[in-house]
Structures are given as structure tokens and as C-alpha cells.
Amino acid sequence: MEIQEIVSNQKAFFKTQQTKNIKFRKMYLEKLRDIVIKNEDLLYEAIHKDFGKSRFDTFTTELSFVLNDIDYYLKNVSSFSKPKRVTTNLSNQIGKSSIHPEPLGCVLVIGAWNYPYQLSLSPMIAALAAGNCCILKPSEIAENTMKVMAQLINENFPPEYLYVYEGGIDETTALLQLKFDKIFFTGSTKVGKIVYKAAAEHLTPVVLELGGKSPAIVTKDADLEVAAKRIVWGKFLNAGQTCVAPDYLLVEESIHEQFLEMLRKQITEFQYGPDAEQYTRIINRRNFDRLVKLIDKDQLYFGGNSDERKLYIEPTLLNNVNWEDEVMQEEIFGPLLPVISFNSFNLVLNTILDLEKPLAAYLFTRNSEEKDAFTAKLSFGGGCINDVIMHLGNDRLPFGGVGNSGIGNYHGKFGFEAFSHQKSVLEKATWGEPSIKYPPYSEKKLNWIRKLL
Ligand code: NAD
């Protein structure tokens, strides 16, 4: 069946109102949970083939998120979907006011390859929980995970409700010509603009989960042991191919040398060798070549080795980096960590303020003035003080970018809201009609109205 036909079947199916039924939504969420649990090995195998990701990382950073999301929405879908009464203002008396969350219709989710399960399935789960029909287009770059998601979902779900469409740029370009009720895109800022333009043709609302260069600042007041451990973990998780990984480090001059040494030691302790189970490969040759080119041998503090047959790049620390260097121009999205030193905390905040708003920002310090200034002054999607990445794991926090790093957010109730319309309804009593609002007008009526409004 052609994709146009599947989309129009989804639109027709949505009109039957079946997806608005809470039991229907729960039945399919439970089904999805069973499918993920039963096929865990298949899911591990596919992602390992794509870029050598371990079972441990796949569970902690992908499947556990997916399973938690399903459970979260199973628990909350009824209360989230209920109409909510709000107070009615004086001029609308006698009446009652309520907000009715309603699904949008047929939505499109476009996923990225770096966390292929989580970034495709989590928004899709939120879309289904909110009562929509959904087309999922995972990233073709992680080909095996795309295929396994397509197989498992298309064999078990009616296509007029949920369908995984496999394809690359050509297929996505064609898909974007069609009219959807929402497009949820995860990927680069460059492609985000293409999606936004295509969506504008149909006035389709979007969520754009994009990238950017996320800074991590370490001041002399930080617990340096903890900072080194958490930064090394967060930077080299998934071999640096994480949208919220600390892209570069800003370290206070007085602790610069000491901290670099601690980072080096921590990398060694984590044992990220070329055959290590805990270290992921670079996704493809194109990205491998791009990253290797960014390693300036004169700035090498640690690492720098690579093996193109294994698509392995060693965790690499670059020292004495300048803002003008090539590695500081684009999001790195790989295991290279440039380090820049600073003298003034306030000046470094000002420098970040002059750049595009990042998806994440991190600060390591025990100084409360620094914490307050960081939170109050900088604008970023989300971040942590004294940790990296972990804000993502709290579904009470909305996850999304700002400015160049994205539009909109999701996770937890925010995901449900991203795929819902909040319909306002005012119900009036048919008695107690105040005649002063109706023509013919008079000064006396206006005076009364002035008092009332
Ligand atoms: P990408 O933008 O190349 O691809 C994302 C999706 O867009 C894929 O499904 C792909 O098939 C499709 N696509 C690619 N080119 C297209 C085109 N010309 N027209 C239409 N569709 C097209 O991104 P990627 O390489 O998969 O992911 C890396 C980027 O994504 C990084 O910038 C990273 O920071 C960002 N990212 C952001 C988040 C987040 O949650 N904010 C998460 C992961 C990755």
C-alpha cells in the first residue's frame, strides 16, 4: 500500500472516534509493552549491529525509557484526558467553563539515529496515549533498528492506527508533502528547518527536537572528583553521539591542569578500549571521517587514536582550544572533548550568551552565587547543576530546546500535551440574561459595563 493511502486511511480511522476511547489506547499501549519485552533480544541485536551499542546502554538509555513511558501513560491517560473545570468570570455568568484535552488526528514522528528506539518510540507512545493515529519514520542511518521497529509494529498494529514507514531523505521529503495534524521531529537544526518549512505549507504545528553545542562549566568551587566522573560518563556515553552530551568544557584557569589530569585518569578507569563492551562505535564512515578531521594533533591532551575498520575513535581530550577553532564551530556529536580555560565566571556566562541557545548546559560548583547566576542568566533547553544528561531521566521535567535548539517539548505530561489540543468550552445557562450587553447601546449601559468588566 502507498504511504498516501495509509495516511488517508489513518485520517478516516481517526474520524471513527475509536482512538478517543481510553480502553482502546490502553489496550494498544499494553500490547506495545508486551512486544518490547518479548522481543528484547531482537532489539539488542539490531542496535548492536548498527553501532555496537551494549545491552547495558541499550537498556538504561533506550528500552527503560520506552517501558517507563508506557507505564506512565497507562497510569495517567485517564486523568490527563478528563475535562478540567475552571472558574468562570463575572461577565460569563451564569455559566460553567471547562478545558477538554482532545487528540489532534494523524501525526507524524520523525526519529534520529543516535538513540533510535527512545527517540522514535517515546514521542510515538505520547502520541498514541493522547489518542492520535501515528506514522513513525525512524532514521534510516541506524538501518537495523529501523527495520526491527517496522517489523514488530507493522506486524502487530493496524496500519490505519499506527504504521512505521521506512525510508531516507527521498521518502521523508515525499512524506512531508502530505498534511498531518502535527509533526514531531528529532534531528539536526539543518533538517529541522526543512521540516518546519514543509509543515508551514499546511499550517501544521511542529515540535522540533534539535541539537547544538552544549557547554559544561567547571569552577574552582566544584567537587572535582565528582565532576570528572560525571562529565566523562556523559560525554563518552554512546561515544559522544548524544544530543545533550557536554559538547565542550569551560574550566576555571586555577584548576585547569589538575582537572584535565582527573579527566584523563577517569577515562582510563572506565576502560573504553577498541573492543570494550561499554564503548559504542561511530555510526558510519561519514561521521568517522568528519570527527577524525576535527582532531588537531597540536591540541591533543589524551586519546586521538582511531580505527576505521572498527569505526572506533578513542575518547579524546583537546587542550588549549580557542573559540575560533574548527571544533568549536559545529556540534561535535562524537567522543572529542575540547577544553577552554577561563578566569572570570561572569565573562564566561556572557560569552555563552552571545552564542546560539544550546539544548543543554551544565555547571559544576558548590558556590550558590554561581548556581544562581547560571540559572538566571543563561537560556538553554534544560540542564543540570553538578551532573550531566540526567535531567532527561526525570519525566516531571519538560524536555526540549529553545531558539536554535528546538521548539516545544515532551516527556511525561508534557508529551501528552504536545499531542493534544486544549479545547475550551463555555456552557451558559439559558436564564439570567443580562440585557446590558445587547443593542441599542446607551451611556447608562456603558457605565454599568465599566463597573462590571
Ligand atoms: P538528521 O537531521 O540528519 O536526521 C533526522 C531525521 O531526518 C532522519 O529520520 C532522516 O531520515 C531525516 N532527514 C535527513 N535529511 C533529511 C532531508 N533533507 N529532508 C527530510 N528529512 C531528512 O539528524 P541525525 O543525524 O539523525 O541526528 C543528529 C542530530 O540530531 C544532532 O544535531 C543531534 O543533536 C540531534 N538530536 C537531537 C535530539 C533532541 O532530542 N533534541 C536527540 C537526538 C539527536
Side-chain angles (χ1 to χ4, degrees):
M1 213 188 304
E2 292 288 320
I3 188 67
Q4 288 85 340
E5 202 179 338
I6 295 175
V7 172
S8 79
N9 288 348
Q10 287 205 352
K11 288 180 181 176
F13 184 67
F14 182 73
K15 285 185 193 150
T16 68
Q17 308 284 320
Q18 289 181 63
T19 66
K20 290 189 182 166
N21 183 306
I22 301 298
K23 275 195 192 137
F24 176 94
R25 299 186 207 177
K26 285 187 171 178
M27 178 184 81
Y28 278 111
L29 287 175
E30 277 164 6
K31 185 166 189 170
L32 184 66
R33 183 178 57 193
D34 292 346
I35 292 167
V36 171
I37 292 170
K38 264 195 214 132
N39 294 283
E40 231 180 299
D41 283 338
L42 214 57
L43 295 165
Y44 287 136
E45 241 172 68
I47 201 165
H48 195 268
K49 267 194 217 154
D50 278 333
F51 56 127
K53 192 158 168 166
S54 67
R55 289 172 75 93
F56 190 95
D57 281 351
T58 304
F59 183 76
T60 55
T61 67
E62 304 252 19
L63 300 187
S64 68
F65 275 81
V66 169
L67 293 170
N68 278 330
D69 281 355
I70 295 174
D71 288 342
Y72 176 87
Y73 289 123
L74 280 171
K75 199 169 140 213
N76 292 298
V77 60
S78 304
S79 65
F80 286 171
S81 311
K82 278 204 183 90
K84 297 176 186 63
R85 278 288 288 273
V86 293
T87 51
T88 301
N89 58 339
L90 191 58
S91 55
N92 276 314
Q93 298 296 349
I94 289 153
K96 18 182 211 188
S97 304
S98 50
I99 302 170
H100 300 245
E102 64 173 17
L104 298 168
C106 169
V107 303
L108 169 64
V109 172
I110 302 177
W113 58 262
N114 58 326
Y115 289 85
Y117 297 134
Q118 192 211 133
L119 298 176
S120 297
L121 299 179
S122 283
M124 179 196 91
I125 289 163
L128 299 184
N132 299 281
C133 298
C134 180
I135 302 283
L136 167 63
K137 208 300 289 177
S139 171
E140 74 287 5
I141 308 274
E143 197 189 352
N144 292 292
T145 59
M146 174 180 76
K147 288 203 177 312
V148 77
M149 284 188 278
Q151 179 204 327
L152 295 178
I153 288 175
N154 293 347
E155 277 175 5
N156 287 290
F157 285 78
E160 64 273 21
Y161 175 46
L162 172 64
Y163 185 74
V164 179
Y165 182 56
E166 298 177 55
I169 296 178
D170 291 347
E171 289 78 5
T172 315
T173 306
L175 202 55
L176 286 170
Q177 304 300 309
L178 306 176
K179 184 172 163 67
F180 289 93
D181 295 292
K182 184 128 197 179
I183 300 177
F184 187 108
F185 170 82
T186 303
S188 59
T189 301
K190 185 173 136 245
V191 179
K193 288 180 185 175
I194 297 173
V195 171
Y196 203 9
K197 272 191 195 147
E201 281 299 313
H202 299 291
L203 272 188
T204 298
V206 293
V207 171
L208 301 177
E209 295 281 342
L210 311 176
K213 282 183 94 61
S214 302
I217 311 171
V218 185
T219 79
K220 63 177 179 345
D221 293 331
D223 180 326
L224 297 183
E225 289 279 345
V226 168
K229 191 173 209 158
R230 292 181 184 172
I231 289 170
V232 167
W233 171 79
K235 176 69 190 186
F236 300 110
L237 178 74
N238 219 31
Q241 302 165 114
T242 303
C243 55
V244 286
D247 186 89
Y248 61 97
L249 273 193
L250 299 161
V251 181
E252 195 154 356
E253 179 82 67
S254 58
I255 51 152
H256 184 92
E257 287 306 317
Q258 179 194 0
F259 194 63
L260 271 171
E261 185 50 28
M262 290 168 102
L263 291 174
R264 190 197 57 73
K265 193 166 152 253
Q266 194 59 65
I267 294 172
T268 315
E269 268 176 33
F270 283 163
Q271 301 176 20
Y272 292 130
D275 298 310
E277 146 91 2
Q278 57 270 21
Y279 196 59
T280 306
R281 302 285 167 262
I282 304 304
I283 184 72
N284 56 23
R285 184 64 200 262
R286 195 171 63 82
N287 272 296
F288 176 88
D289 291 343
R290 175 183 66 80
L291 288 161
V292 168
K293 260 208 235 142
L294 288 176
I295 303 175
D296 180 339
K297 295 271 184 270
D298 294 336
Q299 294 174 330
L300 207 54
Y301 181 85
F302 178 81
N305 294 310
S306 57
D307 180 341
E308 66 175 58
R309 281 172 307 122
K310 291 182 177 167
L311 293 178
Y312 168 84
I313 300 180
E314 196 179 12
T316 297
L317 299 174
L318 300 171
N319 194 15
N320 299 321
V321 174
N322 297 301
W323 290 99
E324 302 74 38
D325 292 339
E326 207 190 331
V327 75
M328 291 304 296
Q329 304 315 308
E330 302 275 331
E331 179 183 4
I332 297 170
F333 221 55
L336 320 178
L337 184 58
V339 184
I340 296 179
S341 67
F342 69 87
N343 279 314
S344 153
F345 183 69
N346 275 327
L347 284 183
V348 95
L349 292 190
N350 288 343
T351 310
I352 296 171
L353 271 177
D354 284 340
L355 305 170
E356 295 292 357
K357 293 176 182 177
L359 182 60
Y362 305 110
L363 171 68
F364 287 83
T365 188
R366 284 173 291 200
N367 177 320
S368 48
E369 277 173 26
E370 288 176 349
K371 289 179 195 173
D372 291 347
F374 168 83
T375 310
K377 234 177 160 177
L378 293 187
S379 181
F380 49 87
C384 309
I385 294 173
N386 293 322
D387 209 342
V388 294
I389 298 183
M390 293 305 293
H391 58 295
L392 234 94
N394 181 357
D395 58 22
R396 304 288 166 105
L397 293 173
F399 175 61
V402 57
N404 255 38
S405 56
I407 296 174
N409 52 51
Y410 71 129
H411 283 192
K413 86 173 167 63
F414 307 99
F416 191 92
E417 286 167 0
F419 288 104
S420 302
H421 167 62
Q422 307 296 331
K423 184 166 65 188
S424 302
V425 176
L426 169 69
E427 185 186 339
K428 292 292 282 280
T430 48
W431 50 278
E433 182 76 294
S435 63
I436 56 166
K437 78 174 182 192
Y438 295 111
Y441 300 143
S442 70
E443 244 348 88
K444 200 173 157 200
K445 279 184 177 178
L446 184 59
N447 284 338
W448 270 108
I449 294 259
R450 275 185 200 285
K451 280 184 190 135
L452 275 173
L453 299 183

